[in-house]
Protein backbone atom coordinates (compact mmCIF):
# COMPACT_ATOMS: atom_id res chain seq x y z
CA UNK A 1 0.00 0.00 0.00
CA UNK A 2 3.02 2.31 0.23
CA UNK A 3 2.36 5.55 -1.62
CA UNK A 4 -1.10 4.59 -2.86
CA UNK A 5 -2.70 7.46 -0.93
CA UNK A 6 0.03 10.03 -1.49
CA UNK A 7 -1.59 13.45 -1.84
CA UNK A 8 -4.79 12.33 -0.13
CA UNK A 9 -6.10 13.92 3.04
CA UNK A 10 -7.88 11.97 5.76
CA UNK A 11 -9.60 12.83 9.01
CA UNK A 12 -9.68 10.04 11.58
CA UNK A 13 -12.06 11.26 14.25
CA UNK A 14 -11.33 9.35 17.44
CA UNK A 15 -7.73 8.39 16.70
CA UNK A 16 -6.25 8.47 20.18
CA UNK A 17 -6.05 4.69 20.63
CA UNK A 18 -7.49 1.36 19.50
CA UNK A 19 -8.99 1.06 16.02
CA UNK A 20 -8.69 4.80 15.37
CA UNK A 21 -4.96 4.76 16.04
CA UNK A 22 -4.53 1.70 13.81
CA UNK A 23 -6.53 3.30 11.01
CA UNK A 24 -4.56 6.53 11.16
CA UNK A 25 -1.27 4.60 11.11
CA UNK A 26 -2.30 2.45 8.15
CA UNK A 27 -3.38 5.53 6.19
CA UNK A 28 0.08 6.88 6.97
CA UNK A 29 1.60 3.65 5.63
CA UNK A 30 -0.16 4.43 2.37
CA UNK A 31 1.28 7.97 2.30
CA UNK A 32 -1.75 10.02 3.34
CA UNK A 33 -1.87 13.22 5.33
CA UNK A 34 -3.94 12.32 8.39
CA UNK A 35 -5.64 14.64 10.85
CA UNK A 36 -5.91 12.68 14.09
CA UNK A 37 -8.41 13.93 16.64
CA UNK A 38 -9.53 13.06 20.13
CA UNK A 39 -9.84 14.53 23.59
CA UNK A 40 -6.55 13.20 24.99
CA UNK A 41 -3.89 15.61 23.87
CA UNK A 42 -2.25 18.89 24.67
CA UNK A 43 -1.58 17.69 28.19
CA UNK A 44 -5.24 16.85 28.84
CA UNK A 45 -6.98 13.48 29.18
CA UNK A 46 -10.50 12.45 28.28
CA UNK A 47 -12.88 10.87 30.78
CA UNK A 48 -11.30 7.51 29.90
CA UNK A 49 -8.22 8.74 31.78
CA UNK A 50 -5.78 6.65 29.77
CA UNK A 51 -2.21 7.61 28.82
CA UNK A 52 -2.49 7.41 25.01
CA UNK A 53 -2.53 10.76 23.18
CA UNK A 54 -3.28 12.07 19.72
CA UNK A 55 0.30 13.37 19.53
CA UNK A 56 1.58 9.79 19.88
CA UNK A 57 -0.78 8.69 17.11
CA UNK A 58 0.46 11.47 14.82
CA UNK A 59 4.04 10.33 15.43
CA UNK A 60 3.06 6.80 14.40
CA UNK A 61 1.57 8.18 11.20
CA UNK A 62 4.81 10.03 10.48
CA UNK A 63 6.93 6.94 11.16
CA UNK A 64 4.73 4.87 8.90
CA UNK A 65 5.41 7.19 5.97
CA UNK A 66 2.57 9.69 6.06
CA UNK A 67 2.03 13.02 7.75
CA UNK A 68 0.17 13.08 11.04
CA UNK A 69 -1.48 16.25 12.32
CA UNK A 70 -2.90 16.05 15.86
CA UNK A 71 -5.83 18.31 16.71
CA UNK A 72 -7.52 18.13 20.10
CA UNK A 73 -11.27 18.09 19.46
CA UNK A 74 -14.32 17.16 21.49
CA UNK A 75 -16.66 15.87 18.79
CA UNK A 76 -19.67 16.56 21.00
CA UNK A 77 -18.99 20.29 20.59
CA UNK A 78 -20.18 21.50 17.17
CA UNK A 79 -18.05 24.65 17.19
CA UNK A 80 -14.88 22.61 17.72
CA UNK A 81 -15.74 20.27 14.85
CA UNK A 82 -16.62 23.20 12.59
CA UNK A 83 -13.27 24.82 13.38
CA UNK A 84 -11.47 21.55 12.65
CA UNK A 85 -13.02 21.22 9.20
CA UNK A 86 -12.35 24.87 8.42
CA UNK A 87 -8.71 24.28 9.35
CA UNK A 88 -8.47 21.23 7.07
CA UNK A 89 -9.93 23.20 4.18
CA UNK A 90 -7.64 26.14 4.85
CA UNK A 91 -4.49 24.00 5.13
CA UNK A 92 -5.20 21.26 2.58
CA UNK A 93 -8.00 22.50 0.34
CA UNK A 94 -9.71 19.13 0.33
CA UNK A 95 -10.76 16.11 2.37
CA UNK A 96 -10.76 12.69 0.73
CA UNK A 97 -11.38 10.26 3.60
CA UNK A 98 -13.49 10.68 6.73
CA UNK A 99 -13.34 7.99 9.41
CA UNK A 100 -15.82 8.26 12.27
CA UNK A 101 -14.33 6.09 15.01
CA UNK A 102 -15.44 8.15 17.99
CA UNK A 103 -16.65 6.34 21.11
CA UNK A 104 -14.66 6.84 24.29
CA UNK A 105 -16.98 5.26 26.85
CA UNK A 106 -15.09 4.70 30.08
CA UNK A 107 -17.07 1.62 31.17
CA UNK A 108 -19.48 -0.94 29.78
CA UNK A 109 -22.43 -2.35 31.71
CA UNK A 110 -22.70 -6.04 30.80
CA UNK A 111 -26.12 -7.68 30.43
CA UNK A 112 -27.87 -4.57 31.75
CA UNK A 113 -31.49 -4.16 30.75
CA UNK A 114 -32.79 -0.67 30.07
CA UNK A 115 -34.38 -0.54 33.52
CA UNK A 116 -31.26 -1.84 35.26
CA UNK A 117 -28.85 0.44 33.44
CA UNK A 118 -27.34 3.61 34.81
CA UNK A 119 -29.52 5.97 32.79
CA UNK A 120 -27.11 8.91 32.75
CA UNK A 121 -24.26 6.66 31.67
CA UNK A 122 -26.37 4.95 29.01
CA UNK A 123 -27.56 8.19 27.49
CA UNK A 124 -24.03 9.58 27.57
CA UNK A 125 -22.82 6.46 25.72
CA UNK A 126 -25.36 7.14 22.98
CA UNK A 127 -24.11 10.70 22.72
CA UNK A 128 -20.49 9.49 22.46
CA UNK A 129 -21.26 6.78 19.91
CA UNK A 130 -23.94 8.40 17.77
CA UNK A 131 -24.17 12.15 18.27
CA UNK A 132 -20.42 12.64 17.76
CA UNK A 133 -20.57 10.82 14.41
CA UNK A 134 -23.55 12.86 13.25
CA UNK A 135 -21.94 16.17 14.22
CA UNK A 136 -18.68 15.27 12.48
CA UNK A 137 -20.38 14.11 9.30
CA UNK A 138 -22.55 17.26 9.26
CA UNK A 139 -19.50 19.50 9.09
CA UNK A 140 -16.97 17.31 7.25
CA UNK A 141 -18.97 15.81 4.40
CA UNK A 142 -19.63 19.13 2.58
CA UNK A 143 -15.85 19.46 2.21
CA UNK A 144 -15.40 15.79 1.31
CA UNK A 145 -17.89 15.87 -1.59
CA UNK A 146 -16.15 18.82 -3.22
CA UNK A 147 -13.65 16.28 -4.58
CA UNK A 148 -14.95 13.24 -6.50
CA UNK A 149 -14.27 9.81 -5.05
CA UNK A 150 -14.53 10.59 -1.35
CA UNK A 151 -14.90 7.86 1.28
CA UNK A 152 -16.69 7.89 4.64
CA UNK A 153 -16.14 5.02 7.07
CA UNK A 154 -18.34 4.45 10.12
CA UNK A 155 -16.43 2.23 12.54
CA UNK A 156 -18.49 0.09 14.91
CA UNK A 157 -18.60 -3.31 16.54
CA UNK A 158 -20.18 -6.19 14.62
CA UNK A 159 -21.56 -6.46 11.12
CA UNK A 160 -25.19 -5.62 10.44
CA UNK A 161 -25.85 -9.30 9.72
CA UNK A 162 -24.43 -10.35 13.10
CA UNK A 163 -25.93 -7.52 15.14
CA UNK A 164 -29.39 -8.05 13.66
CA UNK A 165 -29.60 -11.47 15.29
CA UNK A 166 -27.43 -10.96 18.38
CA UNK A 167 -28.03 -9.01 21.58
CA UNK A 168 -24.86 -6.98 22.04
CA UNK A 169 -23.74 -6.64 25.67
CA UNK A 170 -26.52 -4.42 27.06
CA UNK A 171 -29.46 -2.25 25.96
CA UNK A 172 -27.49 0.94 25.41
CA UNK A 173 -24.41 -0.72 23.89
CA UNK A 174 -26.61 -2.72 21.52
CA UNK A 175 -28.44 0.41 20.42
CA UNK A 176 -25.21 2.35 19.93
CA UNK A 177 -23.56 -0.24 17.71
CA UNK A 178 -26.63 -0.91 15.60
CA UNK A 179 -26.96 2.84 15.05
CA UNK A 180 -23.39 3.17 13.78
CA UNK A 181 -23.99 0.53 11.12
CA UNK A 182 -27.22 2.21 10.11
CA UNK A 183 -25.33 5.50 9.71
CA UNK A 184 -23.09 3.79 7.17
CA UNK A 185 -26.17 2.69 5.24
CA UNK A 186 -27.89 6.09 5.45
CA UNK A 187 -24.78 7.99 4.40
CA UNK A 188 -24.35 5.61 1.47
CA UNK A 189 -27.84 6.57 0.32
CA UNK A 190 -27.11 10.27 0.71
CA UNK A 191 -23.67 10.19 -0.95
CA UNK A 192 -24.60 8.04 -3.93
CA UNK A 193 -25.39 11.09 -6.05
CA UNK A 194 -22.19 12.91 -5.09
CA UNK A 195 -19.56 10.48 -6.42
CA UNK A 196 -18.72 9.44 -2.87
CA UNK A 197 -18.99 6.22 -0.89
CA UNK A 198 -19.94 5.41 2.70
CA UNK A 199 -19.55 2.09 4.51
CA UNK A 200 -19.82 0.68 8.00
CA UNK A 201 -16.74 -1.26 9.09
CA UNK A 202 -16.05 -3.47 12.07
CA UNK A 203 -12.76 -4.90 13.29
CA UNK A 204 -12.76 -8.36 14.79
CA UNK A 205 -11.65 -9.06 18.35
CA UNK A 206 -9.35 -6.07 18.67
CA UNK A 207 -6.15 -6.23 20.69
CA UNK A 208 -6.40 -2.62 21.73
CA UNK A 209 -4.26 -1.06 24.42
CA UNK A 210 -7.08 -1.41 26.94
CA UNK A 211 -7.80 -5.03 25.96
CA UNK A 212 -4.18 -6.10 26.33
CA UNK A 213 -3.96 -4.33 29.66
CA UNK A 214 -7.17 -5.97 30.90
CA UNK A 215 -5.83 -9.41 29.95
CA UNK A 216 -2.44 -8.74 31.56
CA UNK A 217 -0.45 -9.24 28.36
CA UNK A 218 1.37 -7.22 25.71
CA UNK A 219 1.31 -7.44 21.94
CA UNK A 220 4.45 -9.57 22.14
CA UNK A 221 2.92 -12.28 24.36
CA UNK A 222 -0.81 -11.87 23.64
CA UNK A 223 -1.27 -15.60 23.05
CA UNK A 224 -0.74 -16.13 26.77
CA UNK A 225 -4.28 -14.77 27.23
CA UNK A 226 -6.00 -17.30 24.95
CA UNK A 227 -6.82 -19.89 27.64
CA UNK A 228 -10.40 -19.53 28.79
CA UNK A 229 -11.23 -17.00 26.06
CA UNK A 230 -12.62 -18.94 23.06
CA UNK A 231 -11.96 -17.11 19.81
CA UNK A 232 -9.18 -14.88 21.11
CA UNK A 233 -6.85 -16.87 18.83
CA UNK A 234 -8.55 -15.03 15.97
CA UNK A 235 -7.97 -11.58 17.46
CA UNK A 236 -6.24 -8.82 15.52
CA UNK A 237 -4.14 -5.71 15.97
CA UNK A 238 -5.64 -2.26 15.37
CA UNK A 239 -3.46 -1.92 12.28
CA UNK A 240 -5.42 -4.69 10.55
CA UNK A 241 -8.69 -2.75 10.37
CA UNK A 242 -6.57 0.26 9.43
CA UNK A 243 -5.28 -1.58 6.40
CA UNK A 244 -8.88 -2.36 5.50
CA UNK A 245 -9.63 1.37 5.42
CA UNK A 246 -6.49 2.10 3.39
CA UNK A 247 -7.45 -0.60 0.89
CA UNK A 248 -10.93 0.86 0.50
CA UNK A 249 -9.54 4.38 0.08
CA UNK A 250 -7.15 3.23 -2.65
CA UNK A 251 -9.77 1.21 -4.57
CA UNK A 252 -10.97 3.05 -7.71
CA UNK A 253 -14.05 0.82 -7.63
CA UNK A 254 -14.85 1.46 -3.96
CA UNK A 255 -18.42 2.46 -4.86
CA UNK A 256 -19.27 -1.25 -5.16
CA UNK A 257 -19.34 -1.29 -1.35
CA UNK A 258 -21.55 1.77 -0.92
CA UNK A 259 -23.91 1.48 2.04
CA UNK A 260 -22.57 -1.94 2.99
CA UNK A 261 -21.57 -3.32 6.38
CA UNK A 262 -18.08 -4.81 6.15
CA UNK A 263 -15.45 -6.43 8.36
CA UNK A 264 -11.66 -6.34 8.38
CA UNK A 265 -11.42 -10.10 7.79
CA UNK A 266 -13.84 -9.97 4.88
CA UNK A 267 -11.90 -7.18 3.18
CA UNK A 268 -8.55 -8.90 3.75
CA UNK A 269 -9.82 -11.78 1.64
CA UNK A 270 -10.79 -9.36 -1.14
CA UNK A 271 -7.78 -7.02 -1.08
CA UNK A 272 -5.04 -9.36 0.15
CA UNK A 273 -3.67 -7.25 3.02
CA UNK A 274 -2.53 -8.91 6.24
CA UNK A 275 -2.09 -8.16 9.91
CA UNK A 276 1.38 -7.30 11.21
CA UNK A 277 2.30 -10.99 11.63
CA UNK A 278 1.30 -11.88 8.06
CA UNK A 279 -1.95 -13.58 9.08
CA UNK A 280 -5.48 -12.67 7.97
CA UNK A 281 -7.79 -13.21 10.98
CA UNK A 282 -11.55 -13.35 10.42
CA UNK A 283 -13.27 -13.60 13.78
CA UNK A 284 -16.77 -12.91 12.44
CA UNK A 285 -16.56 -15.87 10.06
CA UNK A 286 -15.21 -17.99 12.93
CA UNK A 287 -18.12 -17.00 15.16
CA UNK A 288 -20.69 -17.68 12.45
CA UNK A 289 -19.30 -20.98 11.22
CA UNK A 290 -17.80 -22.53 14.36
CA UNK A 291 -19.29 -21.06 17.52
CA UNK A 292 -22.79 -20.62 16.11
CA UNK A 293 -22.80 -23.01 13.15
CA UNK A 294 -21.20 -26.00 14.86
CA UNK A 295 -18.51 -26.52 12.25
CA UNK A 296 -15.60 -28.60 13.51
CA UNK A 297 -12.55 -26.41 13.06
CA UNK A 298 -9.76 -24.84 15.05
CA UNK A 299 -9.78 -21.13 15.76
CA UNK A 300 -6.31 -20.80 14.28
CA UNK A 301 -7.77 -22.00 10.96
CA UNK A 302 -9.44 -18.60 10.74
CA UNK A 303 -6.23 -16.58 10.69
Amino acid sequence: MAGTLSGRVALVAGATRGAGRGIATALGEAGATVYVTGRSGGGQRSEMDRPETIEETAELVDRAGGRGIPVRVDHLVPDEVRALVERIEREQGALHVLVNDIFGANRIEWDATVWESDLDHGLHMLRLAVETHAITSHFAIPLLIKTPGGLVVEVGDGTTEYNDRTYRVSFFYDLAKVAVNRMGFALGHELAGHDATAVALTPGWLRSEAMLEAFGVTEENWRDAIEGRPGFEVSETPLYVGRAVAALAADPDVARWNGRSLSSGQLAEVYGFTDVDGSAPDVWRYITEVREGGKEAEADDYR
Side-chain angles (χ1 to χ4, degrees), residues 7-280:
R8 306 280 284 280
V9 179
L11 164 58
V12 182
T16 310
R17 60 185 67 82
R21 174 171 283 192
I23 292 167
T25 303
L27 290 169
E29 278 186 333
T33 294
V34 187
Y35 284 78
V36 297
T37 68
R39 295 172 296 170
S40 296
Q44 301 181 63
R45 289 191 179 190
S46 74
E47 65 200 62
M48 293 189 72
D49 196 27
R50 290 193 54 84
E52 300 86 14
T53 68
I54 53 173
E55 289 85 2
E56 292 171 350
T57 301
E59 288 177 12
L60 291 172
V61 174
D62 290 344
R63 276 186 251 153
R67 181 186 176 205
I69 303 174
V71 186
R72 188 178 185 278
V73 175
D74 184 341
H75 286 264
L76 279 174
V77 182
D79 285 346
E80 292 189 20
V81 180
R82 180 191 292 110
L84 166 68
V85 175
E86 289 174 350
R87 174 178 170 177
I88 293 172
E89 183 168 26
R90 185 172 63 252
E91 294 178 352
Q92 309 298 332
L95 177 66
H96 306 97
V97 180
L98 167 63
V99 180
N100 279 322
D101 181 56
I102 316 147
F103 187 41
N106 60 357
R107 64 186 174 95
I108 304 295
E109 295 183 301
W110 287 86
D111 298 316
T113 63
V114 66
W115 61 91
E116 295 168 322
S117 300
D118 180 323
L119 183 60
D120 289 340
H121 174 71
L123 293 175
H124 184 54
M125 179 186 291
L126 290 181
R127 293 194 71 211
L128 290 172
V130 180
E131 191 173 325
T132 55
H133 289 225
I135 290 170
T136 306
S137 290
H138 174 81
F139 289 109
I141 287 179
L143 176 58
L144 181 132
I145 60 177
K146 287 183 178 182
T147 305
L151 173 67
V152 179
V153 180
E154 289 287 335
V155 181
D157 176 16
T159 63
T160 295
E161 179 184 12
Y162 183 77
N163 289 350
D164 278 352
R165 66 175 188 270
T166 309
Y167 175 74
R168 300 305 312 280
V169 179
S170 65
F171 175 86
F172 285 106
Y173 188 90
D174 186 284
L175 185 57
K177 296 310 177 182
V178 168
V180 169
N181 284 347
R182 187 65 185 186
M183 283 191 280
F185 171 82
L187 289 173
H189 174 81
E190 295 175 357
L191 290 174
H194 296 275
D195 195 12
T197 298
V199 301
L201 177 64
T202 179
W205 194 337
L206 195 74
R207 297 199 299 275
S208 66
E209 299 88 351
M211 181 69 71
L212 292 170
E213 184 178 287
F215 287 176
V217 292
T218 66
E219 183 55 37
E220 287 66 39
N221 69 336
W222 68 269
R223 283 184 169 273
D224 291 348
I226 289 173
E227 186 175 355
R229 299 182 177 92
F232 194 56
E233 302 98 313
V234 200
S235 63
E236 64 195 57
T237 73
L239 193 65
Y240 190 54
V241 71
R243 288 173 173 171
V245 173
L248 288 168
D251 183 359
D253 191 27
V254 69
R256 60 182 155 151
W257 303 111
N258 192 40
R260 296 271 301 276
S261 168
L262 309 167
S263 71
S264 50
Q266 171 191 7
L267 292 178
E269 187 173 353
V270 174
Y271 291 110
F273 61 84
T274 65
D275 207 341
V276 293
D277 62 358
S279 68

